[in-house]
Amino acid sequence: MRQLTNRVAITTVMGLVALTGCAAGGSGTGNSAAGGDVKLSLLTFETPNLTAAYWDDIIARTSAKVPGVKIEKLVAPSAEQRNEYARQLDSTGGLPDIMVAVDPNGLAQAGKLAEFGLGELADWSDPTSNSFSGKVFQLATNSQTWQIYYQKAAFEKAGIAGPPKTWDDLLAAVGKLKAAGIKPLVIGGGAPDGLGPRWTFSQLVANEVYAKDPKWLDKLVSGQTDFTDPLFLKAATEMKELAGKENVVNLSATYAEAQGDFLAGKGAMFPMGSWFPAAPDKTQQEQIGVFTMPTQDGSIVVPTYTGGGLSVSAKSRDVAKAKKWAIEFSRENADGGARNDALFVALKGYQPPSDLPPLYNATLDLYKKGKAAGTVTPAFGSEGGVPALPSGFMVKVDSALTDLLNGRSDVAGFADKLNAGYKELSK
C-alpha cells in the first residue's frame, strides 16, 4: 500500500510539472511583467498553519518593499513533496527563481543556487549554520526544534503526575495511558504528509546517536559506520517500542488529520516540531504541555535545525532582485513566521511579539535550556549543510519507518533497508 501511495504521489508531482514547468523557472532572460517589472516565480507549500491567504499576504507586503518585482506563486503538491517537486521542476529546466524551505543539498553543489555573500547577511545571527564549505545558498532565517506535546487531562486521568523525565518514565506513562483506555500517541504516517514517524524518530536519534557521537554523520558519509551501528539500532529499537501501531491512534493519518486528532483529545502525546504551537486555539493552549523526548539519564537533548529560509536559483531571471526580495521577505515575515508557524527567528536582536501563545514560549524555553546545557543536536533528516544525507534518502526512511511501526519489518530489517537505500543514492 505504501509503495502504491508513493507512486501516486510521484505521478502527481510529474503531472504538475507538466502543467507548470514552462512557467516555473528562471530562464535568465530578464522576462518582464507589465510596466517593466521582472516576473519571478516563488515556490511555496501549504500546511494547516501556512494557508494560501497567508502566502498571498506576505508576498504582497514583501513586493511592496521591493519595487520592480512581480511574483508568480507556485505551490508544491504538499509540504512533504516540496523538495522532490523543486527537483522535478529543475529537471525540466524550470527551477523556480525563489524557493521557500527547499533543501539546498545537491542543488548547491551542482551550481544551481545563487550564493549569498556575508555582506548581505549582516542581520542574521548564525548565517553559516546551513553552509556548504562556508558558502551560503539558503538564508538561515529560523530555528525549529522537535519535542513532545501532551494533553494534561489525559495525563491526569491516567494518574501521571507530570512530564516524564527519563526513558523508563516515558514507558511507564505509556502503560498507564493504555490501562486508562487512552491511546498514548498521535503520530500519523499517511501520504501526502506522512512525516510524523520521522519527527518522532529524529528525537530518538538525537538522544541515542548525535548526543553521544556528534561526529556520527561524518562517519556515515566517510564509510566508517552504517545503519547497523549499535547507537542507531538503539534508537530504532526505542522507536518500535514507543510508537508501534498498538500505541498510536492512526498511523495512516495525514499531517492535518493527526494534528486534528491530537487537538480533539484522541491521543495523549504528539511528537512534533516547534511550529505546532501556532495551531491550538486559546482554550487548547492551556490544556497542552510540552517536554523533550526523555533520555535514559534524564538529561535534556533538543534536536534543532537552523536554516529553512529562502534560496534563489543561480539562473533566475534577475538574481540580484531575487536575492533582494528573499532577504526582504525574511525581515517582513519575522513576526508572521513566529505567529503562524511558531518559528524561532534567527535575526540579530529579534524579539518575538509579547502576545505569542503560551506553548510557543514553553517550547522556546526548552530550546534555550538545551542551548545553555550545550545539548542542542542536529535533527535526523534535517541536518543542513555538509556532510549531509543523500537527496531523496528521507523518503526511504519514511517508508521504512512505516513498515517498522506496522510490524512489517523488525529493527534489523529496518537497518538493512536504510543501508540499501543509502548505497543506492550515494552512487
Side-chain angles (χ1 to χ4, degrees):
M1 186 59 139
R2 178 70 181 180
Q3 291 176 343
L4 176 61
T5 300
N6 284 340
R7 285 195 212 103
V8 170
I10 292 170
T11 301
T12 301
V13 171
M14 291 302 294
L16 285 169
V17 168
L19 289 172
T20 65
C22 293
S27 64
T29 61
N31 185 27
S32 296
D37 290 349
V38 64
K39 182 187 292 184
L40 300 176
S41 55
L42 172 72
L43 177 61
T44 68
F45 56 92
E46 294 175 4
T47 72
N49 297 349
L50 304 179
T51 63
Y54 170 85
W55 290 115
D56 290 343
D57 174 68
I58 185 59
I59 288 170
R61 287 191 286 114
T62 303
S63 295
K65 295 288 184 70
V66 186
V69 172
K70 182 176 178 61
I71 293 294
E72 176 188 18
K73 183 180 72 171
L74 305 174
V75 181
S78 73
E80 179 187 11
Q81 293 170 312
R82 65 184 183 272
N83 291 310
E84 290 76 16
Y85 187 51
R87 285 156 176 80
Q88 292 293 344
L89 290 172
D90 178 49
S91 73
T92 70
L95 188 67
D97 295 287
I98 309 169
M99 292 157 278
V100 180
V102 167
D103 182 4
N105 188 36
L107 295 173
Q109 296 94 319
K112 300 292 183 73
L113 301 179
E115 182 182 352
F116 289 91
L118 291 182
E120 296 173 297
L121 303 174
D123 288 349
W124 271 254
S125 58
D126 193 6
T128 61
S129 62
N130 192 19
S131 63
F132 293 76
S133 301
K135 296 183 177 181
V136 178
F137 298 97
Q138 183 185 50
L139 299 173
T141 304
N142 59 76
S143 296
Q144 294 179 316
T145 60
W146 284 261
Q147 47 280 305
I148 300 176
Y149 297 92
Y150 71 100
Q151 292 283 357
K152 296 176 182 178
F155 271 37
E156 184 177 351
K157 180 179 178 181
I160 303 168
K165 297 186 182 301
T166 67
W167 178 252
D168 287 343
D169 291 342
L170 179 61
L171 294 185
V174 167
K176 289 180 179 180
L177 288 164
K178 292 169 72 174
I182 302 168
K183 278 289 186 181
L185 291 163
V186 176
I187 292 180
D193 288 303
L195 301 181
R198 180 197 301 186
W199 291 329
T200 306
F201 188 53
S202 70
Q203 298 181 56
L204 296 170
V205 173
N207 288 359
E208 300 297 343
V209 182
Y210 287 145
K212 295 178 179 179
D213 186 357
K215 294 293 184 181
W216 188 85
L217 184 58
D218 300 72
K219 294 176 182 177
L220 177 71
V221 172
S222 64
Q224 298 176 58
T225 192
D226 64 15
F227 294 101
T228 62
D229 185 304
L231 294 177
F232 194 86
L233 291 179
K234 176 69 171 175
T237 300
E238 290 179 348
M239 181 68 177
K240 188 172 181 66
E241 187 175 18
L242 175 67
K245 62 181 179 180
E246 68 278 4
N247 292 341
V248 179
V249 171
N250 178 12
L251 274 174
S252 298
T254 65
Y255 169 32
E257 290 168 344
Q259 179 172 282
D261 285 345
F262 177 69
L263 291 175
K266 294 181 180 180
M269 294 182 285
F270 191 36
M272 182 50 60
S274 54
W275 54 87
F276 170 70
D281 62 28
K282 186 174 181 179
T283 299
Q284 292 166 333
Q285 290 279 336
E286 301 298 331
Q287 299 168 345
I288 299 170
V290 59
F291 59 94
T292 56
M293 177 70 74
T295 57
Q296 299 289 338
D297 62 3
S299 59
I300 183 173
V301 174
V302 185
T304 304
Y305 170 72
T306 298
L310 276 60
S311 49
V312 169
S313 169
K315 293 185 178 180
S316 169
R317 297 178 174 103
D318 191 322
V319 171
K321 283 189 176 180
K323 289 166 66 177
K324 184 176 181 180
W325 196 94
I327 290 169
E328 188 58 45
F329 174 97
S330 304
R331 300 188 184 108
E332 189 69 20
N333 191 47
D335 284 353
R339 289 187 186 281
N340 294 279
D341 212 20
L343 300 178
F344 303 150
V345 177
L347 295 173
K348 290 179 181 177
Y350 177 76
Q351 294 295 324
S354 60
D355 60 345
L356 290 178
L359 270 181
Y360 177 96
N361 294 316
T363 306
L364 180 58
D365 284 345
L366 292 178
Y367 176 46
K368 290 178 178 178
K369 288 179 181 177
K371 290 180 70 176
T375 52
V376 168
T377 75
F380 183 60
S382 300
E383 288 85 353
V386 290
L389 296 166
S391 179
F393 179 68
M394 290 309 296
V395 176
K396 295 183 180 295
V397 174
D398 294 337
S399 176
L401 280 171
T402 300
D403 287 343
L404 178 69
L405 300 185
N406 276 316
R408 294 192 292 264
S409 174
D410 59 13
V411 169
F414 173 71
D416 288 344
K417 287 180 183 178
L418 296 196
N419 279 329
Y422 185 85
K423 182 178 180 180
E424 174 192 341
L425 294 172
S426 298
K427 293 179 180 178

